[in-house]
Amino acid sequence: MRINKNTRLWFRAVRFLLAIVIALGVSFVIIAFSTDAPVRAVVNLFTGPVTSVRRFSTVFETMIPLTFSGLAVCIMFKANQFNLAAEGALYAGALTAAIVGIYVQGPGWAVKAAAILAGGMIGCLIGAIPGIAKVRWGASELVLSLMLNTVVLNLGTFLFNRVARDPAPSYAASYELPREVSLVNLIPGTRMHSGLIIAACFVAGSAVLIYKTKWGFQLNMTGSNLNFAKYAGIHTALIIISAQLVGGFIAGAGGATEMLGLYRRFQWTSLPGYGFDGVILNILAGSNPLLIPIAAFFLAFVRIGADYMYRQSDVAAEIVSIIEGIIILLVMASAFLAKWEHRLTTKASVTGGESA
């Protein structure tokens, strides 16, 4: 059994790396038709993020909200519920953190903790709505969450204009947050902040929650086989709703962390898009919360590299979308290298049986 498990893990790693290589190969062909110097463009794509400390730190800055969104989606999807409300929860969490930071008085550490907690609670509420509607009325959580994101954006815009908007600037922005409310900067000369540490804590907490607790066992069983979980005596409705609550809390806290880490004013006039990135990350990580940060780093690195490539050549930065799409297509394609996986598993089983 252990041999087979190790074989599967090894195969998935090789399969993922091969998917990246194929995606990059196809992208190189496309780049070759787009520029007279395709090799230079590809070199810029991979070396751009490491050409300076500032650029490399930007990879980690971008990685932070991606990690939060990936964790949120991971937990929601563990219950086999395709809830995409993490997008709205991130937005609402950031707006809530800005309002708390502007109006709540007290020590900086207390206000920051209150802002992140408040953002998480708002995200909790938003994430739970599709889950409750699914359990109570059988509504599609996918459709409802997509519609809910639009409602959250419009309601948030209304609250922003009424509560937090500063009339002085010529652009839409909130009142300025006090400096003591901002998260601690980790590296001078960059914008890398302590949200990276907060995200790491959430990764560890999510892994413990999923793999080391009774609730996590019930969550995995509910997501893998709902009827069997019911027959086993698991309160599946409660598990489904609680998974959306936890996922929404993570997304809301992620939005609050992003707000306090990088911005002095709330200026989001549209949904940030991180929630949908969470779906990509969950696919790349194979629904493993411990692999979410690695997938987030890869995605952030490629995106920063694509931006650098665009600045240094005439290749559009949208090439990264092609890379993402091909990788996801190959990772999700169950038939990709399926025969090789079968041979490896069979060989490992036979070898394990002979050694036993």
Coordinates of all heavy atoms in Angstrom, one line a residue, residues 93 96-101 104 109-121 181 252-253 256-257 260:
G93 N -13.8 41.3 2.5 CA -12.8 41.3 3.6 C -11.9 42.5 3.5 O -11.5 43.1 4.5
T96 N -13.9 45.7 4.5 CA -14.2 45.7 5.9 C -12.9 46.0 6.7 O -13.0 46.8 7.7 CB -14.7 44.3 6.4 OG1 -15.8 43.9 5.6 CG2 -15.0 44.2 7.8
A97 N -11.8 45.5 6.3 CA -10.5 45.8 7.0 C -10.2 47.3 6.9 O -9.7 47.9 7.8 CB -9.4 45.0 6.4
A98 N -10.5 47.9 5.7 CA -10.3 49.3 5.5 C -11.2 50.2 6.4 O -10.7 51.1 7.0 CB -10.5 49.7 4.0
I99 N -12.4 49.8 6.5 CA -13.4 50.5 7.4 C -12.9 50.4 8.8 O -12.9 51.4 9.6 CB -14.8 50.0 7.2 CG1 -15.3 50.3 5.7 CG2 -15.7 50.6 8.2 CD1 -16.6 49.8 5.4
V100 N -12.6 49.2 9.3 CA -12.1 49.0 10.7 C -10.9 49.8 10.9 O -10.7 50.5 11.9 CB -11.9 47.5 10.9 CG1 -11.2 47.3 12.3 CG2 -13.2 46.8 10.9
G101 N -9.9 49.8 10.0 CA -8.7 50.5 10.1 C -8.9 52.0 10.2 O -8.1 52.7 10.9
V104 N -11.8 52.5 13.8 CA -11.5 51.9 15.1 C -10.3 52.5 15.7 O -9.2 52.5 15.1 CB -11.4 50.3 15.0 CG1 -11.1 49.7 16.3 CG2 -12.8 49.7 14.5
W109 N -1.6 47.0 16.9 CA -1.7 45.5 16.8 C -3.1 45.0 17.0 O -3.6 44.1 16.3 CB -0.7 44.8 17.8 CG -1.1 45.1 19.2 CD1 -0.6 46.1 20.0 CD2 -2.0 44.3 20.0 NE1 -1.2 46.0 21.3 CE2 -2.1 44.9 21.3 CE3 -2.8 43.2 19.8 CZ2 -2.9 44.4 22.3 CZ3 -3.6 42.7 20.8 CH2 -3.6 43.3 22.0
A110 N -3.8 45.7 17.9 CA -5.2 45.3 18.2 C -6.1 45.7 17.0 O -7.0 44.9 16.7 CB -5.7 46.0 19.5
V111 N -5.9 46.8 16.4 CA -6.7 47.2 15.3 C -6.5 46.3 14.1 O -7.4 45.9 13.4 CB -6.4 48.7 14.9 CG1 -7.2 49.1 13.6 CG2 -6.8 49.6 16.0
K112 N -5.2 45.9 13.9 CA -4.9 45.0 12.8 C -5.6 43.7 13.0 O -6.1 43.1 12.0 CB -3.4 44.9 12.6 CG -2.7 46.1 12.0 CD -1.2 45.8 11.8 CE -0.4 46.0 13.1 NZ 1.0 46.0 12.8
A113 N -5.5 43.2 14.2 CA -6.1 41.9 14.5 C -7.6 42.0 14.3 O -8.2 41.0 13.8 CB -5.8 41.5 15.9
A114 N -8.2 43.1 14.8 CA -9.7 43.3 14.7 C -10.1 43.4 13.2 O -11.1 42.8 12.8 CB -10.1 44.5 15.4
A115 N -9.2 44.0 12.4 CA -9.6 44.2 11.0 C -9.5 42.9 10.2 O -10.4 42.6 9.4 CB -8.6 45.2 10.3
I116 N -8.5 42.1 10.5 CA -8.4 40.8 9.8 C -9.5 39.8 10.3 O -10.1 39.1 9.5 CB -7.0 40.1 10.1 CG1 -5.9 41.0 9.5 CG2 -7.0 38.7 9.6 CD1 -4.5 40.5 9.8
L117 N -9.8 39.9 11.6 CA -10.9 39.0 12.1 C -12.3 39.5 11.6 O -13.1 38.6 11.2 CB -11.0 39.1 13.7 CG -12.0 38.3 14.4 CD1 -11.9 36.8 14.1 CD2 -12.0 38.6 15.9
A118 N -12.5 40.8 11.5 CA -13.7 41.3 10.9 C -13.9 40.9 9.4 O -14.9 40.5 9.0 CB -13.8 42.8 11.1
G119 N -12.7 41.1 8.7 CA -12.8 40.6 7.3 C -13.1 39.2 7.1 O -13.8 38.8 6.2
G120 N -12.5 38.3 8.0 CA -12.8 36.9 8.0 C -14.2 36.6 8.3 O -14.8 35.7 7.7
M121 N -14.8 37.3 9.2 CA -16.2 37.1 9.6 C -17.2 37.4 8.5 O -18.1 36.7 8.2 CB -16.6 37.8 10.9 CG -15.8 37.4 12.1 SD -16.0 35.6 12.5 CE -17.8 35.5 12.8
V181 N -1.6 50.9 11.4 CA -2.5 49.8 11.0 C -1.9 48.9 9.9 O -2.3 47.8 9.8 CB -3.9 50.4 10.6 CG1 -4.8 49.3 10.1 CG2 -4.5 51.1 11.7
G252 N -12.0 36.0 3.3 CA -12.1 37.3 3.9 C -10.9 37.8 4.6 O -10.5 38.9 4.5
A253 N -10.3 36.9 5.4 CA -9.0 37.2 6.1 C -7.9 37.5 5.1 O -7.1 38.4 5.3 CB -8.6 36.1 7.0
A256 N -8.5 41.0 3.8 CA -8.0 42.0 4.8 C -6.5 42.1 4.9 O -6.0 43.2 5.1 CB -8.6 41.6 6.2
T257 N -5.8 41.0 4.8 CA -4.4 40.9 4.9 C -3.8 41.7 3.7 O -2.8 42.4 3.8 CB -3.9 39.5 4.9 OG1 -4.4 38.8 6.0 CG2 -2.4 39.5 5.0
L260 N -4.3 45.5 4.3 CA -3.4 46.1 5.3 C -2.0 46.0 4.9 O -1.1 46.7 5.4 CB -3.7 45.4 6.7 CG -5.1 45.5 7.3 CD1 -5.1 44.8 8.6 CD2 -5.5 47.0 7.4

